[in-house]
Amino acid sequence: MFRKWPVYTPESHSCKDIYLTRQGLNYMPTRKIQHKNGDRAVTAVRRIWEEAGAAVDEIKHDYGEDLLVQTCLGDIMDASRIWVQVKGVQRTGQSFRNGRGSRNVRIKPGHLGRWIRGVDLVVVVLWDIDNQMGWFTEIPSMEFQVELARHGVWSVDAQARAELPFPIAANNRFDVAVAHRLSWHARLDNYATHVRVLESLVSHIERNNELADLSRQIIEVEPYKLTSIYLAVNAMLDLGILEKSPGSPAAVSSAFQERLETDLADCLEIPMPDVLPEGSTPQALRHFRAIGMACIRQAQEKSGTALDGAMAIQFGNIVHGLLLDESSGLCDVCDCVSEAEIA
């Protein structure tokens, strides 16, 4: 029934017959179920990102990330990137699939430390390969930061642990619409990071220039300010707050102006503070608040994500300046944006 095969044994220096059975081959490498689940999950998650229009690469040298996602808007590649870790599982349970409860994923402290110190968005996806459904969490998110504090991830004790549990909520479903929203999140966060850095640099230069004696060379501040505005204008063009046509400067879009009129009417009901900012009037303050509200609502509708606070203020300043045509600097920047795109 079975084929006999001579096997050399160093102890006896002779051959003896054994029966080869399937069980007798257990010294051969085996493909574990975890590897199968992982590969199937990565393939499914990759497909979703690709349906969302992103270019996706699988990571060959795995240091915690399975996919590198490079997003684009139209045909223009974004400066931001998204890193994705995929956890493949079988049958998460009916209650979880129906949107109730949460499930823990286990993450190595070393991976957490690397992600927190990075500037790119990291997404962990839990993928049910049997039901072709996924759930996600962003890093860093507010919930994630709370979990970090609860587990004391910065402590020596936490670093010594093999893995730390982090919950993924059942209502955080991962699909193509979410992939689009995460792309916007990364895109806007990249703009906001650059704007914050530039504004900090401007503040530092201005502060030091105030203290500089006449013999010190004065660093020109204006280019840094214009670059910061330039980045904000690009973000507003992406969101549809501004619009431009060939040969003309960027201007407030007609759709945004309609939204602004609605928000301005709502702001008439908001009481004014007892002490107004110097040089402002109640009408101007209401107008500026309405612009801020409209910018935030436009961003949430277009991208599904909230604006960074500093960006929201700068958006309001730019729209206010364009509507009142009070700032030639802003118009110069918008003229430049009409000529070329800066990522």
Side-chain angles (χ1 to χ4, degrees):
M1 181 178 177
F2 297 104
R3 179 184 178 187
K4 292 186 177 182
W5 195 267
V7 176
Y8 176 76
T9 57
E11 296 81 6
S12 62
H13 296 280
S14 62
C15 293
K16 55 184 177 182
D17 293 339
I18 63 168
Y19 289 107
L20 273 185
T21 64
R22 180 72 177 170
Q23 190 172 2
L25 294 174
N26 59 8
Y27 60 87
M28 296 291 287
T30 58
R31 181 160 165 77
K32 297 179 180 179
I33 187 66
Q34 295 93 328
H35 296 164
K36 295 179 182 179
N37 290 347
D39 288 347
R40 292 171 64 188
V42 167
T43 299
V45 172
R46 174 176 182 161
R47 188 180 301 117
I48 288 178
W49 282 109
E50 289 174 339
E51 287 180 17
V56 187
D57 294 309
E58 290 190 33
I59 307 301
K60 294 181 180 179
H61 301 291
D62 184 1
Y63 298 107
E65 305 86 22
D66 297 298
L67 298 173
L68 167 59
V69 178
Q70 300 181 78
T71 61
C72 64
L73 188 61
D75 296 328
I76 307 299
M77 297 302 295
D78 291 314
S80 56
R81 293 170 174 81
I82 301 173
W83 301 90
V84 183
Q85 184 182 86
V86 182
K87 301 279 190 179
V89 294
Q90 289 181 294
R91 294 185 301 277
T92 60
Q94 188 62 37
S95 62
F96 192 67
R97 293 197 301 274
N98 288 342
R100 296 191 296 271
S102 64
R103 180 179 180 123
N104 283 343
V105 294
R106 306 192 69 82
I107 304 174
K108 294 179 180 179
H111 294 164
L112 292 173
R114 184 164 180 249
W115 296 340
I116 294 166
R117 292 173 178 86
V119 295
D120 295 327
L121 178 65
V122 178
V123 178
V124 178
V125 177
L126 179 69
W127 187 262
D128 182 341
I129 60 173
D130 290 333
N131 295 283
Q132 289 296 292
M133 302 169 70
W135 299 265
F136 77 100
T137 186
E138 301 173 56
I139 299 173
S141 64
M142 184 57 68
E143 296 82 1
F144 189 86
Q145 297 289 7
V146 169
E147 288 299 311
L148 285 180
R150 189 168 72 86
H151 290 292
V153 73
W154 298 112
S155 69
V156 175
D157 175 62
Q159 292 294 327
R161 299 181 215 165
E163 292 180 321
L164 295 172
F166 287 89
I168 293 183
N171 56 0
N172 281 5
R173 286 286 304 277
F174 180 74
D175 52 27
V176 175
V178 166
H180 278 295
R181 181 173 69 78
L182 292 171
S183 300
W184 271 104
H185 182 169
R187 187 177 297 125
L188 291 178
D189 192 56
N190 182 265
Y191 276 129
T193 298
H194 286 294
V195 168
R196 285 194 298 269
V197 169
L198 284 165
E199 291 182 345
S200 296
L201 180 61
V202 167
S203 176
H204 174 76
I205 293 172
E206 290 177 333
R207 185 168 58 251
N208 283 300
N209 283 347
E210 287 176 3
L211 303 175
D213 51 76
L214 295 177
S215 62
R216 181 181 300 177
Q217 182 179 1
I218 302 300
I219 301 174
E220 185 63 46
V221 177
E222 198 62 25
Y224 297 103
K225 288 183 176 179
L226 288 178
T227 304
S228 175
I229 295 171
Y230 206 112
L231 289 166
V233 168
N234 269 285
M236 295 166 76
L237 287 167
D238 290 346
L239 290 168
I241 296 172
L242 302 181
E243 61 186 359
K244 65 182 179 68
S245 55
S248 62
V252 180
S253 69
S254 56
F256 183 77
Q257 290 199 54
E258 292 179 6
R259 165 162 284 163
L260 181 57
E261 290 176 6
T262 302
D263 287 337
L264 185 58
D266 294 338
C267 281
L268 293 176
E269 307 299 324
I270 300 177
M272 290 293 101
D274 295 333
V275 180
L276 296 176
E278 185 177 352
S280 66
T281 63
Q283 181 179 3
L285 190 58
R286 285 193 176 96
H287 193 214
F288 192 78
R289 283 182 174 179
I291 291 172
M293 287 171 54
C295 286
I296 290 171
R297 289 206 301 130
Q298 178 80 10
Q300 288 177 332
E301 180 179 298
K302 179 83 173 182
S303 68
T305 188
L307 279 179
D308 172 89
M311 288 287 282
I313 292 172
Q314 193 177 58
F315 282 12
N317 284 326
I318 290 172
V319 172
H320 192 262
L322 289 175
L323 289 174
L324 299 181
D325 198 23
E326 291 179 343
S327 172
S328 59
L330 286 178
C331 293
D332 289 342
V333 169
C334 292
D335 285 336
C336 293
V337 174
S338 300
E339 300 299 327
E341 293 287 345
I342 286 189

